[in-house]
Amino acid sequence: MAVDVLSPAAIEVRDNAVYIGGMWLAPHETARIDVVNPATEQRIGSIVDATPEVGKHAFAAARRAFHDWSRTTPEARADYLDALADALERHSEQLAVLATTEIGMPIRESRAVQADLPARVLRSTAEIARSFDWDTRDASGSSIVREPVGVVLGITPWNFPVHQIIAKLAPALAAGCTMVLKPAELTPLNALLLAGLCEEIGLPPGVFNVVTGAGATAGEALLQDGGYDIVSFTGSLTVGRHIGAVAGDRIIRATLELGGKSPAVVLDDADLDAAVRTTVRNCFTNAGQKCNAPTRLIVPERLRTDAVDIAVEAAEAYVLGDPLDEATTMGPLVSGTQRRKVLDHVSAAVTDGARLATGGTASEHERGYFVRPTIVTDLDPAAAIVREEVFGPVLVVLGHDGEDDAVHQANDTAYGLSAEVWSSDEARAAAVARKIRAGQVRVNGVRTPALPVSPFGGYKSSGLGREMGAYALEEFLEIKAILGDPHLT
Ligand code: NAP
Ligand code: MG
């Protein structure tokens, strides 16, 4: 295949194959789906659109592997996670280049979030597994035992693919579960590379299986098969609702990491310049294709024009281009469909009277699904662009009349994934953070800590459950009470 493989130790990415029970299978009778580089619009490989039979085979392999894997010690499983982290580090440049080639994410961002972050998630999860209270006693003397839920169906999106897979795989494996993964159809190759890394470290066959294909065909078949004990999904609200309904009907647990329309609340005593520039940067990471992107900048009304001017300057400073070029700060959107959706959102807002301060068009690149960084203001709070997830480089700037109104606007959304608060008074910012209905709130632009253990997940329509840290591990555990346990060990 045509993906550049830079490292001499590069491992083969087996496209046109699924990874089941430790074997690469290339079913002949199935349809193929092309994988395209969004910066060049060229085909970089193709994948199997797995049939229901392939899915069944994968669940059977995961079920067989569960028998032994669930009986290994947490320490042994933690050692595998560390070994996988080592493998990610050995092959980090290959992973980052492949991710950039699949998604169009600038290479610097890919190195940080598709290689370095997942390795840190694996290591921190291993540490948590080693010190976790697997077997405790309650006040009555009963034993409380944590046991793995069973076989996991993981379904992941395309925007931060390696991170999103590892955010499920690390805690699932630590818990003693096995997994069948259906990666996004637009970015499946990194999942096949991960399977290659699992093979390289000698992860027992069937513990991690990858079944590729389209959501509507392969994904739906896996979902309906029911050969799993928990489904862990990251993706859109629409698909998440469907997955939750199917799982609920079967009384199967579902964790859902869905979308967001996250606010950045700037209070009147904040450093406006820092708040706006940081919000633009956080909003435009991965060309705005980020579920927790702060897409609604809510500033004091009297400062709104100033805020828009700063945001426009920051937006116009982006360098759009080849995402493999170190100088590029914004790549293309993941697909032509995604670009159309984003541009339609902006033009609908403008038709309804919004002011386009900058951007709002495709860039002049001959190839690639580029959209110019976009700042929109003078908005009706009911406008779709204020309420719906756009998933592109689009920031809306809104005005507030004081702290209460700012909190009201921040919470006036169906979503609740994340939020940001800016104030020079830390106690005030902390109090406002507690009033926002969201799973994660950042104060004054704090970055994700090096130790990625703080829970991530949504209130309201942003989902059910949490990823990262001990909270993620608990999602994959059943709780058993043993009454009258003689406590012999
Ligand atoms: P999506 O369309 O919901 O797809 C997510 C995954 O579900 C993909 O693998 C998709 O396959 C699969 N799928 C689609 N229909 C299915 C079905 N009927 N049965 C089983 N699987 C099915 O989302 P996306 O467009 O890839 O990703 C963007 C969305 O993800 C945004 O809404 C974003 O906010 C959200 N997101 C949330 C988080 C979070 O942690 N909260 C993180 C990242 C992204 P295909 O690839 O073939 O469509
Ligand atoms: Mg999709």
Side-chain angles (χ1 to χ4, degrees):
M1 51 177 292
V3 171
D4 280 335
V5 172
L6 300 180
S7 150
I11 67 161
E12 189 186 348
V13 178
R14 315 261 195 133
D15 61 349
N16 289 316
V18 293
Y19 183 67
I20 296 177
M23 305 220 280
W24 295 95
L25 309 174
H28 289 301
E29 70 283 11
T30 56
R32 298 285 191 267
I33 301 171
D34 282 347
V35 184
V36 171
N37 177 337
T40 62
E41 301 183 33
Q42 275 163 359
R43 180 183 171 284
I44 53 169
S46 71
I47 53 160
V48 168
D49 189 20
T51 60
E53 292 67 39
V54 172
K56 207 167 267 315
H57 183 49
F59 284 129
R63 182 72 56 196
R64 274 195 304 279
F66 179 72
H67 181 271
D68 287 347
W69 182 251
S70 61
R71 287 168 170 75
T72 54
T73 63
E75 292 74 21
R77 299 195 295 267
D79 289 347
Y80 276 108
L81 297 191
D82 280 338
L84 189 55
D86 292 343
L88 257 71
E89 282 169 2
R90 271 197 304 282
H91 300 283
S92 61
E93 192 60 14
Q94 186 185 1
L95 258 176
V97 169
L98 178 58
T100 284
T101 312
E102 281 188 291
I103 322 158
M105 171 181 284
I107 185 68
R108 287 161 183 272
E109 287 175 26
S110 282
R111 287 190 188 116
V113 300
Q114 311 288 358
D116 176 63
L117 175 62
R120 283 186 287 116
V121 170
L122 283 160
R123 288 194 201 289
S124 57
T125 308
E127 266 324 297
I128 287 165
R130 288 188 181 102
S131 59
F132 193 73
D133 285 334
W134 296 93
D135 195 331
T136 56
R137 216 175 292 182
D138 69 11
S140 76
S142 300
S143 289
I144 306 300
V145 182
R146 268 76 178 180
E147 298 182 341
V149 175
V151 173
V152 181
L153 170 57
I155 303 180
T156 49
W158 43 261
N159 54 331
F160 290 83
V162 185
H163 168 65
Q164 284 152 339
I165 294 167
I166 295 295
K168 299 184 186 312
L169 188 64
L173 264 48
C177 294
T178 58
M179 180 180 284
V180 174
L181 174 77
K182 207 299 277 177
E185 157 191 4
L186 295 175
T187 58
L189 302 180
N190 62 85
L192 296 168
L193 174 49
L194 276 179
L197 296 180
C198 289
E199 190 176 36
E200 187 180 271
I201 66 158
L203 189 72
V207 171
F208 179 51
N209 308 277
V210 179
V211 172
T212 55
T217 50
E220 184 70 23
L222 288 165
L223 183 68
Q224 298 295 346
D225 183 281
Y228 51 93
D229 305 290
I230 175 173
V231 52
S232 178
F233 171 79
T234 300
S236 63
L237 175 56
T238 312
V239 177
R241 187 176 278 133
H242 170 59
I243 286 174
V246 172
D249 193 49
R250 294 167 183 260
I251 322 294
I252 286 177
R253 215 191 275 191
T255 65
L256 307 172
E257 295 292 342
L258 310 176
K261 191 72 191 179
S262 298
V265 170
V266 181
L267 300 175
D268 52 11
D269 60 354
D271 176 343
L272 185 72
D273 194 73
V276 174
R277 287 182 196 283
T278 306
T279 301
V280 167
R281 190 168 66 238
N282 290 344
C283 182
F284 291 169
T285 304
N286 197 23
Q289 302 164 117
K290 185 169 90 158
C291 50
N292 62 341
T295 49
R296 294 184 293 141
L297 176 61
I298 307 173
V299 299
E301 177 58 28
R302 66 184 165 78
L303 300 176
R304 184 159 63 92
T305 310
D306 294 348
V308 168
D309 289 347
I310 299 165
V312 166
E313 193 190 301
E316 291 178 350
Y318 273 84
V319 180
L320 275 63
D322 176 2
L324 286 170
D325 183 337
E326 306 268 345
T328 294
T329 53
M330 189 182 287
L333 298 195
V334 74
S335 67
T337 309
Q338 192 65 20
R339 177 169 66 182
R340 188 70 270 144
K341 192 186 133 202
V342 170
L343 294 177
D344 284 352
H345 252 297
V346 177
S347 50
V350 172
T351 305
D352 290 346
R355 178 163 73 87
L356 186 60
T358 189
T361 56
S363 75
E364 56 291 346
H365 293 82
E366 220 169 273
R367 284 190 182 282
Y369 310 117
F370 293 91
V371 169
R372 289 171 54 221
T374 302
I375 309 291
V376 184
T377 194
D378 294 354
L379 286 147
D380 176 347
I385 205 166
V386 179
R387 311 203 74 85
E388 292 170 20
E389 188 174 49
V390 175
F391 235 56
V394 179
L395 176 68
V396 302
V397 185
L398 305 161
H400 70 75
D401 301 330
E403 192 178 301
D404 289 347
D405 181 43
V407 169
H408 170 78
Q409 289 191 49
N411 287 332
D412 184 18
T413 166
Y415 293 108
L417 187 58
S418 71
E420 312 209 354
V421 179
W422 290 82
S423 169
S424 56
D425 176 346
E426 287 186 340
R428 188 182 179 201
V432 168
R434 281 162 177 74
K435 292 180 189 162
I436 295 180
R437 305 274 300 160
Q440 203 172 74
V441 187
R442 287 169 192 251
V443 173
N444 288 336
V446 65
R447 300 182 67 112
T448 301
L451 192 63
V453 294
S454 304
F456 183 84
Y459 282 34
K460 302 193 276 183
S461 293
S462 287
L464 297 172
R466 292 292 180 272
E467 296 196 317
M468 301 293 115
Y471 299 93
L473 183 59
E474 285 168 12
E475 300 287 352
F476 295 100
L477 293 172
E478 287 282 13
I479 297 173
K480 177 185 286 175
I482 306 180
L483 283 64
D485 189 9
H487 302 294
L488 295 178
T489 52

